[in-house]
Amino acid sequence: MVLADWNKIRGIDGGSYSLYSGAYISSPYSLKISVHEGYAFKLTKSGLNNIVDGMIEVWLKTSYGWHDTYEFVFSFGFRSTNYTWSTLIGDPGDGTCSLNIYFYGKVVRYYKQSSAAGFIQHSIYPSIVSSVNPKVWNKWRCIWYTNASGVLVVKPQVLIGDTWQNICDPFTDPENPSGGIVGFAGYFATSDPSAYILVDDMKIYRLTPLS
């Protein structure tokens, strides 16, 4: 996919994105999201904007890695009826459903599409923190599907060697929200102009629903 397939949504206080030739997985560019607040991207390509059960795979590289001071977030958007910037600040009821990896704080949050509860949070496993360095390229993915009991299951994973590993406990949502819009976003709560997230080789899959 190309940038023309995505609707770009700038952060509240700024942000920028660009094609970057300084580091990539597939030549000649990666996508660089930088500057305070960052950017969100909503997939608008025909035929791929109604994915109910699916998976997003992506290579990521960050400037800070696991960090206890600056808030660094990468967000997978899915099961949304709308995908807006508020996916990163968790406004409930805006139609956005997302899974946010907080390199800051070492947690993952599942933001529910419509519940006033806002989000569910799980800590990233210490074994993942000790074995994965976000400052180098790593392959991450988010899987979401409805299980046989009618509950939405969301699994964030990272590829270590040849094995996909859960980075935290899976999320479950009995509300099982409808919607099929997907997207992604990068966010920073720092004014450091050198802060960035690099994104490359994103692949989006439609999964066959469980019978």
Side-chain angles (χ1 to χ4, degrees), residues 104-158:
Y104 161 87
K106 308 176 188 67
V107 297
V108 182
R109 289 179 179 175
Y110 163 61
Y111 280 97
K112 305 175 77 171
Q113 183 193 100
S114 59
S115 173
F119 63 84
I120 304 169
Q121 178 172 293
H122 293 327
S123 295
I124 295 174
Y125 297 142
S127 60
I128 298 297
V129 174
S130 64
S131 59
V132 175
N133 177 10
K135 295 176 71 174
V136 302
W137 286 109
N138 291 282
K139 194 174 187 180
W140 306 78
R141 73 181 182 185
C142 175
I143 305 170
W144 67 95
Y145 61 91
T146 302
N147 67 15
S149 299
V151 173
L152 174 64
V153 179
V154 185
K155 295 181 179 180
Q157 300 181 329
V158 65

Side-chain angles (χ1 to χ4, degrees), residues 56-187:
I56 301 173
E57 291 183 354
V58 64
W59 287 88
L60 300 176
K61 181 177 185 287
T62 75
S63 58
Y64 276 104
W66 306 117
H67 209 278
D68 293 325
T69 303
Y70 299 124
E71 190 168 359
F72 252 57
V73 185
F74 184 82
S75 171
F76 295 93
F78 57 94
R79 280 290 182 97
S80 299
T81 55
N82 188 28
Y83 189 74
T84 69
W85 178 251
S86 63
T87 180
L88 292 171
I89 54 178
D91 286 352
D94 71 347
T96 294
C97 194
S98 68
L99 185 86
N100 296 355
I101 300 174
Y102 285 75
F103 298 103
Y104 161 87
K106 308 176 188 67
V107 297
V108 182
R109 289 179 179 175
Y110 163 61
Y111 280 97
K112 305 175 77 171
Q113 183 193 100
S114 59
S115 173
F119 63 84
I120 304 169
Q121 178 172 293
H122 293 327
S123 295
I124 295 174
Y125 297 142
S127 60
I128 298 297
V129 174
S130 64
S131 59
V132 175
N133 177 10
K135 295 176 71 174
V136 302
W137 286 109
N138 291 282
K139 194 174 187 180
W140 306 78
R141 73 181 182 185
C142 175
I143 305 170
W144 67 95
Y145 61 91
T146 302
N147 67 15
S149 299
V151 173
L152 174 64
V153 179
V154 185
K155 295 181 179 180
Q157 300 181 329
V158 65
L159 187 65
I160 299 179
D162 296 324
T163 305
W164 285 102
Q165 297 191 24
N166 290 337
I167 68 172
C168 66
D169 294 344
F171 294 85
T172 56
D173 184 358
E175 293 180 9
N176 196 14
S178 62
I181 294 175
V182 299
F184 70 95
Y187 167 81

